[in-house]
Amino acid sequence: MNFDPRFSGRNFTSVGTRPIRPDGVDKVTGRARYGADFNMAGQLVGRVLRSPHAHATIRKIDTSKAEKLPGVKAVITSTDLPDLTDGDSAMYDILDNCMARKKALYDGHAVAAVAAVDARTARQALKLIEVDYEVLPHVTDVDEAMKHSAPVLNDTIFTEGVEEKPTKPSNVTKRTQYGHGDVHEGFGQADFIVERSFKTEQTHQGYIEPHACVASVSSDGTADLWVCTQGHFVYRQHCAQLLGMEASKLRVTSSEIGGGFGGKTHVWAEPVALALSRKAGRPVKLVMARDEVFRASGPTSATSIDVRIGARKDGTITAAEATLRYSCGPYAGMWAELGAMTAFACYKLDNVKTVGYEVLVNRPKTAAYRAPSAPMAAFAVESAVDELAKEIGMDPVEFRIRNAAQEGTRSSYGPVYGPIGIGPTLEAAKNHPHMKAPLGKNQGRGMACGFWFNFGGQTCTDLNIGMDGSVSLAVGTVDVGGSRASLSLVAAEELGIAYEQVKAVVADTSSLGYNDMTDGSRGTFSSSMATISAARNAIKILRERAAQMWDIPVDDVVWEKGHAIAKGEKYGNLAALSLKEIAAASGKTGGPIAGHSELVADGAGVSFATHICDIEVDPETGATRVLRYTVVQDAGKAVHPTYVEGQYQGGAAQGIGWALNEEYIYGKDGRLQNPGFLDYRIPVCSDLPMIDTQILEIPNPNHPYGVRGVGETSIVPPLAAIANAVSNAAGVRMTHIPMSPPRILAAIEAERGG
């Protein structure tokens, strides 16, 4: 059956309602099983030995003493994870990150691992492993790493994307450029120009659940992996390739996930657990300690960004350019490229240029963090936009409205926009009561815009109708933000039945076709599209069964409100058949009734948001208090509005922590100084106001219901909105994130001294 993904426009019965979440009771009562809650008979405890050095050559590893310790069943090093990547540099980087080969590249880099009968024995075994290191010079700062005098992390890396082919290795792995027009000419037309440099420090996603898995490799080569992940199909592919297994022999089951936000899109310890199990011949459970999560799993990039924007007296932006330097950890990435693409995406610009540099540093391998790279770029750009509006003498909202992108605008990263929500979010913010509320002494208001692409990708879904009329929906996208409830609503909507009749489950990799990683805000967008397709396929079968029961042509049967109806006056004596009635007779009409769908969900539809923030700053201490916060964002169509609001609020809360407190602090020795929630401070309830939300619905033309992804855009504006609020409250432009009290106080004192 051909599936038409275009927006059709319709009235909804189930979609847009707010039913109770299906997983809520299990989670609040402790029945839900997360990564560390699964156990297997005879399982061993896995532990990882990590480098205490930021950069060091591994001369020799002696595991003999650990291997002789009673209770130790396996000890592995990189020799137990040989290079099977066949020249695939991206896969080799994953392999090297899981277990260091020639060099330890950051504090916390795994160098060996053990499996033992209990945790005490495993810890003791780690102490018996002797590693001979040659400590090398290190670099942890993104700007320092770009200097010619910086130690080179990888002598096989030569900068890509530059005109002249480099002759020397570099910490800059790639240069990318986006834009159009002539920025030199555009700046020549400007009456006002603002030029600033900005820095953001590295932050962690802050998920409460640490990485955890249970791996079991059997003697016949089959294996099982239970793991907390955002993409169990991708984990299967990566783990199988790294261990030289056939992917079909590895079954991966995703547990409930206690937060991911992009940090659980990469394999970290899972290949190690599988290698330990294979060597020991028993299941191995490996759970990262909190300090390991911070030291050895992916944080976001630290950045250094230069922005220059020019405008005429009437407020029209004539040119904009930015140079963005993003740290990648010790492996190549595309983080600066994403920053370069998103930086000016909110605006209609004739002349724009962005250049991104991917920079290697002796820090953990960078991972996605909810709209990766966009918050830092938005912080720099939106701060400069605010400053430029002030220079011109325009209201910052009006200035943005004047320059906002719209349908038909060529984006700064290339594509031409279809229907988009940046203008409506700005108008809504302008008219919101928050924008008109009075401010007190030492208080400031800031606002900012944000953009994210959203993704679709490969998606597979099964919909099975039981003989009792219940519907089981098997999906392959991990529920990271309420998608089981949303997808159940979609299935109920299509089938015309009650939400309570549908139960959505996340299937393992042996039960369903391939699904891409649950990232890029694709979960509800792509799986709802596949669910609609599967439901429509099931409806086709339901109509056929009804026709068979009535002994009439199937073309004379329509499906309306959960019932098969014989159309036409000649069938006036035939009462409608409900889904439950048709399902009950399925054993006599051809067997089970099901719908299946596999598709590539294209046209995810870009997303925009505008945030407003009020901050109070203590001029004597630099301490801040968030007084009020409002999120306005386009959802396309809010399938489950409560979950959508939760995504908006969650992104804002994380952005508040990022803007005001959170940062990785490295010592001169290159070691992380704050690998735990005591010293790496994420916001708690008392730090946050009630975050207000306003959902706008500008339908995505590439989805039957108009759905857009909502999970990531909400973290893009906060850094800038809060920076603008703090700057207005303190009377000095803040250019360094996080704006901790010492930084704010230093800026105030520097301004006073000036």
Side-chain angles (χ1 to χ4, degrees), residues 43-397:
Q43 75 183 18
L44 302 171
V45 175
R47 288 288 187 271
V48 178
L49 181 67
R50 302 187 179 278
S51 168
H53 306 294
H55 195 196
T57 299
I58 301 172
R59 290 171 171 164
K60 183 182 178 182
I61 302 179
D62 184 353
T63 62
S64 58
K65 293 180 182 178
E67 290 167 349
K68 294 174 184 176
L69 183 68
V72 171
K73 302 301 180 182
V75 181
I76 66 167
T77 64
S78 61
T79 58
D80 298 282
L81 281 167
D83 180 11
L84 304 174
T85 59
D86 195 27
D88 185 332
S89 60
M91 287 303 300
Y92 180 82
D93 286 350
I94 295 172
L95 176 68
D96 189 71
N97 186 57
C98 289
M99 189 65 69
R101 275 128 232 280
K102 299 175 183 178
K103 292 201 298 184
L105 293 167
Y106 56 90
D107 167 40
H109 198 167
V111 296
V114 303
V117 293
D118 55 38
R120 180 180 180 182
T121 304
R123 288 193 296 269
Q124 190 177 353
L126 292 184
K127 295 177 182 178
L128 295 175
I129 298 174
E130 298 175 357
V131 185
D132 182 11
Y133 294 103
E134 178 188 352
V135 179
L136 302 172
H138 64 270
V139 60
T140 57
D141 180 80
V142 64
D143 288 322
E144 292 296 320
M146 291 187 70
K147 294 179 178 179
H148 293 297
S149 58
V152 175
L153 274 64
N154 188 334
D155 58 13
T156 67
I157 294 290
F158 294 81
T159 307
E160 298 178 12
V162 291
E163 291 183 4
E164 293 186 16
K165 187 175 181 179
T167 58
K168 294 182 179 180
S170 170
N171 289 329
V172 179
T173 68
K174 189 178 181 181
R175 177 191 184 275
T176 53
Q177 181 173 320
Y178 289 88
H180 54 258
D182 186 332
V183 291
H184 180 74
E185 181 179 321
F187 282 117
Q189 300 169 5
D191 297 310
F192 298 91
I193 296 175
V194 165
E195 189 169 0
R196 283 276 188 185
S197 294
F198 301 86
K199 282 186 79 79
T200 69
E201 297 300 330
Q202 192 167 48
T203 55
H204 199 271
Q205 298 86 351
Y207 38 81
I208 302 303
E209 178 197 28
H211 296 275
C213 66
V214 179
S216 179
V217 180
S218 300
S219 57
D220 63 359
T222 60
D224 280 278
L225 180 67
W226 166 279
V227 61
C228 53
T229 173
Q230 291 178 239
H232 46 313
F233 289 88
V234 175
Y235 273 38
R236 178 186 65 175
Q237 298 298 108
H238 287 180
C239 288
Q241 185 173 347
L242 295 180
L243 275 82
M245 301 173 61
E246 292 181 30
S248 61
K249 291 186 175 182
L250 174 59
R251 180 176 64 177
V252 182
T253 303
S254 63
S255 68
E256 291 287 351
I257 185 168
F261 317 111
K264 291 176 181 172
T265 58
H266 300 246
V267 294
W268 308 103
E270 296 78 16
V272 174
L274 284 163
L276 284 169
S277 176
R278 181 168 62 182
K279 191 167 185 177
R282 287 169 62 177
V284 173
K285 184 173 185 175
L286 203 163
V287 181
M288 279 191 176
R290 182 64 60 190
D291 70 306
E292 291 181 290
V293 172
F294 276 98
R295 292 172 63 210
S297 69
T300 190
S301 300
T303 73
S304 172
I305 302 172
D306 304 323
V307 174
R308 190 176 186 227
I309 309 176
R312 298 191 185 98
K313 294 177 182 178
D314 66 359
T316 303
I317 295 176
T318 60
E321 66 177 343
T323 302
L324 308 99
R325 298 166 289 272
Y326 280 60
S327 67
C328 300
Y331 306 105
M334 59 175 296
W335 310 111
E337 183 172 6
L338 290 172
M341 294 173 75
T342 60
F344 294 107
C346 291
Y347 299 106
K348 178 176 60 178
L349 303 169
D350 292 330
N351 306 292
V352 58
K353 176 184 176 183
T354 57
V355 177
Y357 293 96
E358 318 287 351
V359 186
L360 303 184
V361 294
N362 293 116
R363 294 190 181 211
K365 175 182 169 66
T366 297
Y369 182 9
R370 213 172 186 165
S373 303
M376 304 84 117
F379 161 60
V381 168
E382 291 293 300
S383 294
V385 165
D386 231 52
E387 195 168 2
L388 184 55
K390 188 175 181 180
E391 289 282 326
I392 296 170
M394 282 187 73
D395 176 82
V397 182

Side-chain angles (χ1 to χ4, degrees), residues 493-510:
E493 186 72 48
E494 280 296 314
L495 295 171
I497 60 176
Y499 165 81
E500 290 75 18
Q501 287 179 247
V502 185
K503 180 176 178 59
V505 297
V506 180
D508 65 53
T509 58
S510 295

Side-chain angles (χ1 to χ4, degrees), residues 631-649:
V631 177
V632 183
Q633 186 173 322
D634 170 26
K637 177 61 186 177
V639 177
H640 192 305
T642 301
Y643 274 116
V644 171
E645 291 164 352
Q647 290 294 317
Y648 291 3
Q649 292 165 332

Side-chain angles (χ1 to χ4, degrees), residues 608-620:
F608 292 90
T610 298
H611 290 202
I612 314 165
C613 178
D614 292 353
I615 293 273
E616 183 174 275
V617 176
D618 185 336
E620 302 302 319

